[in-house]
Amino acid sequence: MKVDDVKNIAVIGAGNMGHQIALLAAIQGFNTTCTDVVPEILAKAEAFADKYLPGRVAKEKLTQEQADAARSRLTFTNDLAEAVGEADYVIEAVLEVLELKRKIFADLDRLTPAHAILATNSSAIVSSKIADVTSRPEKVLNLHFFNPALVMKLVEVVQGPHVSDEAAQLSMALCDRLGKVSVHVKKEVEGFLLNRILEAINKEALWLLEMGVASFEDIDKAQVFGAGHPMGAFRLMDLTGIDLNYIMAMEKFRASGNEAHLPSPSVVERYITGNYGQKTGKGWYDYSEES
Ligand code: CAA
């Protein structure tokens, strides 16, 4: 398959990342289906598209015709078979739970055309832990977008040892068509490229907070006004989800057994009280007050 043959994209999981990846694909000209097993999440994704596209027209970023065409290319369904039956390229963006992903990839292998590439947007689980449930491991890879996926240009294309050069190259060409900047990650290292860098910053920011050196607001200010980062570590955790931060740290701890990888106490505190960040209205910052 060549990138020109990719006409239909299916996105599995309509949450934080999936809803924006699907909308992006539709805006960039692909027939896109977006599916989720949770009706409320799917409805929220559809409502987002219906609000976002007119907003782009109002901001003159899209013409009315472009917005209408994008909307007509985007379908939401809770039926996995219907979503992926004609897919040329699938992007899975469900929860970071290995067994769930393995189940979904086994289903995808059964339900998608044999030529389809099956990508995971996972930032924590490398595709070699999933590919063996399919009959096409050479076409199973990590295609890692950044939050918010409609805005952030970077996509990491991770070529594990089982991935064919053809699938990796096609995925990078597809990123071009999606208006993204791809980087080729040639080994399956934990955290790939950018999350390793962000994690180092995060760890340091949490240490400074927990040692009482500064407030989280001031640590964020230091990053923004001293280093020109668009947002500090705490605001960014609120955007990507403190739950994700917790889950990724726990995954890392389980894999290594190293207590240094455990989530830090202030992250645990927010995780157990359900304060995950923007999506719950409160994390480090209070979004109800802000709004
Ligand atoms: N969804 C879609 N679009 C959004 C958005 C959102 N949640 N938030 C902002 N935007 C868009 C706005 O519509 C606007 O678009 P236009 O300029 O085209 O009109 C643009 O982004 C800028 O928005 P604002 O002026 O309102 O706000 P800003 O300048 O502060 O930018 C931001 C917001 C883009 C999020 C910026 O703060 C930023 O770049 N933050 C850093 C984000 C980051 O580091 N992401 C990586 C996270 S790590 C990750 O994702 C890895 C993982 O595995 C989870």
Side-chain angles (χ1 to χ4, degrees), residues 38 41 54 86 111 154 177 189-190 212 231:
V38 183
I41 292 181
E86 293 179 15
L111 297 169
L154 182 67
R177 301 271 167 109
V189 292
E190 175 93 42
M231 50 176 58

Side-chain angles (χ1 to χ4, degrees), residues 26 104 183 228:
I104 288 173
V183 289

Side-chain angles (χ1 to χ4, degrees), residues 20 56 59 61 123 144 146-147 151 195 198 230-231 236:
Q20 294 214 358
R56 300 313 277 169
K59 271 187 163 180
K61 303 277 177 163
S123 46
H144 184 217
F146 290 82
N147 194 337
V151 183
N195 274 355
L198 292 177
M231 50 176 58
L236 186 55

Side-chain angles (χ1 to χ4, degrees), residues 163-176:
V163 181
S164 68
D165 288 342
E166 189 197 348
Q169 293 306 321
L170 186 145
S171 299
M172 294 183 72
L174 180 65
C175 289
D176 279 351

Side-chain angles (χ1 to χ4, degrees), residues 41-97:
I41 292 181
L42 203 58
K44 204 169 155 196
E46 188 156 12
F48 178 84
D50 289 334
K51 192 167 168 207
Y52 181 82
L53 290 168
R56 300 313 277 169
V57 175
K59 271 187 163 180
E60 298 182 351
K61 303 277 177 163
L62 291 177
T63 65
Q64 187 64 54
E65 292 68 34
Q66 287 170 327
D68 291 345
R71 188 64 188 87
S72 70
R73 285 190 289 265
L74 181 58
T75 310
F76 294 89
T77 172
N78 58 11
D79 184 333
L80 182 66
E82 185 188 319
V84 304
E86 293 179 15
D88 304 307
Y89 201 104
V90 179
I91 304 168
E92 166 275 314
V94 306
L95 292 174
E96 298 282 30
V97 177

